[in-house]
């Protein structure tokens, strides 16, 4: 009420004040509504993640990746480097890991149609599948001087170089090419991108039959010089935690020779609604859709009212991006559940065939990724409401002011950065893993800036250019360019703070509004003293002033700081009220006069302080001599 009367005395209209209150109330309502939406979204995202997923993946990776070949402790899937090691793994750790048909004391524990129970708790769904892709002979160019020495030439894997002909004994699917029959995405490996199809065979329910199959394939040279990749796919289900684990082990045979191994373990919750907590998550999903409809309607209204001015605000663009991500999330959710409904039942029916869960796993991974991006930008939007705070307003003003300088600096920075990246890639790429590709070189340089680097490897690759590259990169990028970047931001921030010091501030500060509401609530509940009681206390402080006078201080020296404080508060109050009324309103003659008097008073005070300092320094110098 006091603020309202002061604004009326200064000439502010009731209509403008009412508009400002309505804007504040609307902002607070939007903040409260958005916080409810954010809490609901967090419940959804955390409800998707089961803490057992990590342990499920860890247990399975330990079994199939770290288990060594009997008699050779250093040979496991991760350490495979030759075709011989690969067959040892297939006939050893893989075979033992897939077939668990008895308890640890060799007693029969399960009778579930001869199904394997890996680690006694995880049902092997269907049977595993092994698939390889090959390339044709004469798919690369041999230099003329070496044609007499090289009668065969197998290039790298591409869809054009892929071999589609039958080979070997030509009986069975493992010797005949099978066209792609599923919609699973292509696999991105170390040295190529591989499509579906190929030479495929499925394992048996019997451990002995599978072992004989492996021996037969090894003796008949199923892996040839044209082999470029072998996939081992199978899926598990654990009813204790209601999780599926889709596993893919990959062995790539590059054109250089040798073997490169990689793997994928995906723990997913394909059966979504089983327990009561799952149905609670389902209710949160419905609330999320309702929020999405409400926010979309609000944004359409804003666009209709503001038209092209709507797109001038960065927060409106963030709002549109968040809505787009939410709609994409809903689409992925609907598609994944539809595929679960159509395919899951069929995959679980056939226990004697391979069940391709990799297609479902890939789409659920896409869905998890888009949800993660959505919740990230949902948290970023909180800054839209916090920006009414003085500190956040200073930060946004600093970034908006120095954006041109930062863009100009970024161009210069990345020219030098990419020049060093190309230098490192060309000099060290063939010997240092961090610089093996141009992309790796870029990320390696970011790690150097953060202090994570392999100087020994760089020096070993080139004992002259290595140290020169490292020292000059640290000097120019770390010591010069990064400090220039910090100087740009620091200088702009100082300017912004100076502007705020003379009275510029946000239209209203959200923190102060919440604090005022909190204090008013305490006063109404009689948990805090009112302003009248505070005035009584301030009267008691007058005795301190009388005591100060009795101690010999001059009356003018006591009153002068109080007068200056009152005039400064009055000036700041008027500046703030004028900002609330209209930022474009011209300064009145009275306000200019008061500002001039305040500047004169400040100059006098500075002169007085200067004289006192000179007097003190004179006395101090006299004491020294």
């Amino acid at each position: 009420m006091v603020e309202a009367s002061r604004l009326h005395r200064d000439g502010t209209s009731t209509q403008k004040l009412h508009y400002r209150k309505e804007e504040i109330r609307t902002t607070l309502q939007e903040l409260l509504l958005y916080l409810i939406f954010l809490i609901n979204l967090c419940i959804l995202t955390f409800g998707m993640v089961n803490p057992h997923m990590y342990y499920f993946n860890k247990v399975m990776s330990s079994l199939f990746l770290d288990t060594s070949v009997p008699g050779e402790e250093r040979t496991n899937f991760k350490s495979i480097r030759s075709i011989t090691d690969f067959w040892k793994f297939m006939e050893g750790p893989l075979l033992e890991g897939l077939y668990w048909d008895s308890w640890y004391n060799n007693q029969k524990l399960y009778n579930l149609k001869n199904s394997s129970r890996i680690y006694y708790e995880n049902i092997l769904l269907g049977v595993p599948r092994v698939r390889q892709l090959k390339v044709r002979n004469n798919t690369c160019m041999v230099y003329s001087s070496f044609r007499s020495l090289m009668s065969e030439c197998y290039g790298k894997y591409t869809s054009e170089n892929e071999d589609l002909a039958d080979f070997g004994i030509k009986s069975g699917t493992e010797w005949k090419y099978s066209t792609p029959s599923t919609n699973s995405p292509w696999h991105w490996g170390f040295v190529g991108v591989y499509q579906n199809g190929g030479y495929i065979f499925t394992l048996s329910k019997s451990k002995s039959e599978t072992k004989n199959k492996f021996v037969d394939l090894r003796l008949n040279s199923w892996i040839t010089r044209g082999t470029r990749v072998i996939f081992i796919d199978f899926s598990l289900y654990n009813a204790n935690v209601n999780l599926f684990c889709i596993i893919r082990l990959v062995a790539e045979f590059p054109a250089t020779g040798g073997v490169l191994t990689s793997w994928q373990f995906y723990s997913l919750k394909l059966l979504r609604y089983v327990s009561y907590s799952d149905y609670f998550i389902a209710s949160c999903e419905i609330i999320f859709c309702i929020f999405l409809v409400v926010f979309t309607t609000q944004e359409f209204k804003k666009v209709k009212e503001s038209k092209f001015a709507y797109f001038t605000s960065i927060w409106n663009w963030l709002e549109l991006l968040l809505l787009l991500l939410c709609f994409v999330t809903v689409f992925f959710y609907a598609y994944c559940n539809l595929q679960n409904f159509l395919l899951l039942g069929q995959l679980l029916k056939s226990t004697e065939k391979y069940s391709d869960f990799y297609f479902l796993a890939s789409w659920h991974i896409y869905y998890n990724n888009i949800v993660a991006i959505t919740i990230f930008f949902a948290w970023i939007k909180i800054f839209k409401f916090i920006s009414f705070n003085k500190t956040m307003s200073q930060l946004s003003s600093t970034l908006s002011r120095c954006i041109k300088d930062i863009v100009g600096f970024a161009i210069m920075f990345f020219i030098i950065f990419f020049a060093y990246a190309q230098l490192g890639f060309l000099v060290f790429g063939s010997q240092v893993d961090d610089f093996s590709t141009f992309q790796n070189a870029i990320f390696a340089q970011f790690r150097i800036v953060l202090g994570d680097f392999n100087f020994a490897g760089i020096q070993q690759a080139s004992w002259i250019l290595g140290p020169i590259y490292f020292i000059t990169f640290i000097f120019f990028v770390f010591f010069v360019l990064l400090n220039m970047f910090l100087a740009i931001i620091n200088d702009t921030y100082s300017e912004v703070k100076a502007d705020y010091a003379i009275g510029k501030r946000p239209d209203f500060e959200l923190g102060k509004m919440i604090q005022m509401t909190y204090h008013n609530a305490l006063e109404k509940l009689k948990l805090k003293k009112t302003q009248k009681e505070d005035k009584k206390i301030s009267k008691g402080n007058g005795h301190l002033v009388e005591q100060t006078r009795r101690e010999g201080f001059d009356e003018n020296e006591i009153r002068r700081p109080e007068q200056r404080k009152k005039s400064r508060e009055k000036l700041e109050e008027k500046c703030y009220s004028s900002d609330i009324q209209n930022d474009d309103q011209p300064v009145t003659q009275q306000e200019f006069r008061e500002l001039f008097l305040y500047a004169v008073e400040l100059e006098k005070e500075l002169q007085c302080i200067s004289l006192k300092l000179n007097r003190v320094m004179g006395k101090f110098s006299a004491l020294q001599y």
Side-chain angles (χ1 to χ4, degrees):
M1 295 299 293
V2 176
E3 181 68 17
S5 61
R6 180 163 63 250
L7 291 175
H8 285 306
R9 287 197 300 269
D10 292 338
T12 305
S13 62
T14 308
Q15 184 178 1
K16 288 185 178 180
L17 183 63
H18 178 70
Y19 174 76
R20 180 61 58 188
K21 287 184 177 181
E22 287 295 327
E23 186 179 0
I24 294 173
R25 187 181 297 109
T26 302
T27 303
L28 293 176
Q29 289 176 355
E30 289 181 359
L31 174 59
L32 180 61
L33 185 65
Y34 186 75
L35 288 177
I36 298 174
F37 166 77
L38 187 60
I39 293 172
N40 181 77
L41 185 59
C42 289
I43 293 174
L44 282 179
T45 52
F46 285 111
M48 291 166 43
V49 180
N50 190 326
H52 294 284
M53 290 179 175
Y54 169 76
Y55 299 107
F56 201 1
N57 289 339
K58 184 177 180 180
V59 168
M60 291 298 111
S61 62
S62 176
L63 176 62
F64 292 102
L65 302 181
D66 298 330
T67 303
S68 301
V69 175
E72 300 181 18
E73 296 181 356
R74 296 184 178 180
T75 303
N76 53 32
F77 184 78
K78 292 181 179 179
S79 64
I80 292 176
R81 295 296 179 266
S82 65
I83 297 176
T84 303
D85 293 340
F86 179 79
W87 283 119
K88 288 180 180 179
F89 167 77
M90 295 288 284
E91 298 175 18
L94 178 66
L95 198 65
E96 296 296 329
L98 288 176
Y99 296 95
W100 296 54
D101 52 2
S102 62
W103 194 244
Y104 62 89
N105 56 2
N106 294 325
Q107 291 183 357
K108 295 290 183 181
L109 184 63
Y110 302 107
N111 185 18
L112 189 62
K113 298 180 180 179
N114 198 23
S115 293
S116 176
R117 292 287 189 98
I118 298 176
Y119 276 128
Y120 315 112
E121 303 293 342
N122 308 288
I123 303 175
L124 180 64
L125 301 175
V127 291
R129 183 186 70 178
V130 181
R131 175 172 66 96
Q132 80 158 308
L133 296 175
K134 299 174 58 181
V135 294
R136 302 188 309 274
N137 188 13
N138 298 322
T139 52
C140 53
M141 299 295 295
V142 180
Y143 190 66
S144 58
S145 300
F146 291 92
R147 287 177 184 171
S148 60
L149 302 176
M150 300 290 296
S151 60
E152 297 177 340
C153 177
Y154 296 88
K156 65 179 182 179
Y157 176 84
T158 61
S159 57
E160 292 80 11
N161 295 342
E162 186 175 3
D163 189 2
L164 308 180
D166 300 343
F167 75 105
I169 60 178
K170 299 181 180 180
S171 61
T173 57
E174 61 270 24
W175 306 101
K176 296 182 179 180
Y177 183 82
S178 301
T179 57
S181 59
T182 62
N183 296 323
S184 297
W186 289 21
H187 181 88
W188 194 295
F190 287 128
V191 293
V193 181
Y194 308 100
Q195 65 178 0
N196 300 313
Y199 302 91
I200 303 171
F201 72 93
T202 57
L203 305 187
S204 172
K205 288 281 188 180
S206 171
K207 181 178 180 180
S208 59
E209 292 181 7
T210 301
K211 186 174 183 178
N212 293 334
K213 186 73 172 179
F214 285 159
V215 172
D216 182 63
L217 293 174
R218 175 169 54 84
L219 294 177
N220 288 281
S221 300
W222 187 66
I223 300 177
T224 65
R225 288 183 58 191
T227 301
R228 286 294 172 262
V229 65
I230 295 179
F231 298 97
I232 305 171
D233 296 300
F234 54 96
S235 304
L236 310 173
Y237 175 69
N238 189 305
N240 300 335
V241 293
N242 188 27
L243 288 177
F244 290 81
C245 186
I246 293 87
I247 301 174
R248 167 168 285 186
L249 307 179
V250 184
E252 294 181 75
F253 299 80
T256 57
V259 183
L260 301 175
T261 57
S262 59
W263 49 87
Q264 293 177 341
F265 291 82
Y266 296 139
S267 291
L268 304 171
K269 187 177 181 180
L270 300 180
L271 301 174
R272 298 185 62 87
Y273 308 112
V274 177
S275 62
Y276 292 108
S277 59
D278 296 334
Y279 289 105
F280 172 72
I281 297 297
S283 64
C284 293
E285 293 170 352
I286 297 174
I287 296 173
F288 173 81
C289 295
I290 295 174
F291 271 113
L292 184 58
V293 173
V294 172
F295 289 152
T296 305
T297 306
Q298 289 179 352
E299 292 307 308
F300 272 118
K301 289 181 179 178
K302 291 180 181 178
V303 173
K304 188 176 181 181
E305 293 174 358
S306 304
K307 297 182 179 179
F308 292 104
Y310 174 87
F311 300 98
T312 59
S313 174
I314 186 65
W315 298 114
N316 293 336
W317 282 102
L318 178 61
E319 189 75 41
L320 293 177
L321 175 62
L322 186 58
L323 288 176
L324 177 63
L325 290 173
C326 289
F327 278 109
V328 174
T329 301
V330 172
F331 167 75
F332 272 82
Y333 173 81
Y335 184 79
C336 289
N337 280 275
L338 178 62
Q339 294 299 324
N340 285 347
F341 177 76
L342 296 177
L343 301 178
L344 193 59
Q346 299 177 3
L347 294 174
L348 295 177
K349 282 182 181 179
S350 56
T351 59
E352 300 294 332
K353 298 181 180 179
Y354 167 71
S355 299
D356 188 6
F357 283 88
Y358 192 78
F359 173 73
L360 295 178
S362 59
W363 274 99
H364 276 79
I365 294 301
Y366 299 152
Y367 171 66
N368 292 343
N369 293 340
I370 196 66
V371 168
I373 297 173
T374 303
I375 191 65
F376 171 79
F377 283 104
W379 277 104
I380 294 298
K381 188 186 170 183
I382 290 289
F383 287 106
K384 175 182 178 181
F385 304 100
I386 303 180
S387 62
F388 292 112
N389 179 267
K390 180 181 177 181
T391 304
M392 293 305 302
S393 181
Q394 288 179 354
L395 176 61
S396 61
S397 299
T398 301
L399 295 178
S400 61
R401 282 194 187 185
C402 67
I403 187 66
K404 293 183 180 179
D405 295 332
I406 290 178
V407 170
F409 166 80
I411 294 174
M412 177 181 64
F413 175 82
F414 282 108
I415 288 175
I416 298 176
F417 193 84
F418 285 120
Y420 271 102
Q422 190 166 5
L423 172 63
F425 168 63
L426 295 176
V427 176
F428 317 118
S430 61
Q431 301 182 51
V432 182
D433 181 61
D434 292 340
F435 294 87
S436 58
T437 63
F438 186 68
Q439 295 86 349
N440 289 348
I442 293 174
F443 287 107
Q445 291 187 159
F446 280 114
R447 288 166 51 195
I448 290 176
V449 173
L450 297 175
D452 180 16
F453 52 87
N454 181 16
F455 178 74
I458 296 174
Q459 187 179 27
Q460 186 177 2
S462 177
W463 67 276
I464 296 177
L465 289 179
I468 294 175
Y469 162 85
F470 181 78
I471 293 172
T472 56
F473 177 81
I474 291 294
F475 178 77
F476 286 109
V477 175
F478 187 76
F479 288 110
V480 178
L481 293 180
L482 288 184
N483 283 284
M484 284 179 59
F485 174 73
L486 295 176
I488 291 172
I489 296 180
N490 188 38
D491 185 55
T492 309
Y493 183 68
S494 300
E495 294 178 1
V496 171
K497 286 202 71 175
D499 291 343
Y500 275 73
I502 62 174
K504 183 180 178 181
R505 62 189 68 188
D507 292 342
F508 73 95
E509 297 186 19
L510 189 61
K512 288 186 177 180
M513 288 296 301
I514 297 175
Q515 187 178 6
M516 289 174 58
T517 306
Y518 171 72
H519 288 317
N520 292 335
L522 290 180
E523 289 178 359
K524 290 181 179 179
L525 295 174
K526 297 182 179 181
L527 298 176
K528 184 182 178 181
K529 295 178 181 179
T530 61
Q531 293 182 356
K532 293 182 179 180
E533 295 174 345
D534 291 338
K535 288 181 180 179
K536 292 180 180 179
I537 296 173
S538 63
K539 288 181 180 180
N541 294 336
H543 298 292
L544 296 175
V545 179
E546 286 294 331
Q547 184 180 357
T548 308
R549 290 195 184 99
R550 288 196 297 269
E551 290 179 359
F553 289 94
D554 188 12
E555 184 75 19
N556 293 329
E557 291 180 354
I558 297 172
R559 291 184 177 180
R560 193 179 300 156
E562 296 177 358
Q563 292 174 355
R564 285 197 300 270
K565 183 178 179 181
K566 289 181 180 179
S567 61
R568 184 170 65 252
E569 290 178 351
K570 184 177 181 181
L571 180 62
E572 291 179 353
E573 189 176 287
K574 287 195 173 184
C575 291
Y576 179 58
S577 62
S578 62
D579 288 341
I580 292 180
Q581 295 173 32
N582 191 354
D583 292 338
D584 300 329
Q585 184 177 358
V587 179
T588 62
Q589 207 168 20
Q590 178 68 19
E591 290 175 344
F592 183 82
R593 181 175 178 276
E594 291 180 356
L595 180 61
F596 177 75
L597 293 176
Y598 180 74
V600 171
E601 185 69 17
L602 184 61
E603 184 180 4
K604 291 180 181 179
E605 185 65 20
L606 289 174
Q607 290 177 354
C608 181
I609 293 173
S610 178
L611 290 174
K612 290 182 179 180
L613 285 174
N614 290 334
R615 194 183 309 162
V616 171
M617 292 302 296
K619 291 182 179 180
F620 182 73
S621 60
L623 289 174
Q624 284 183 340
Y625 292 105

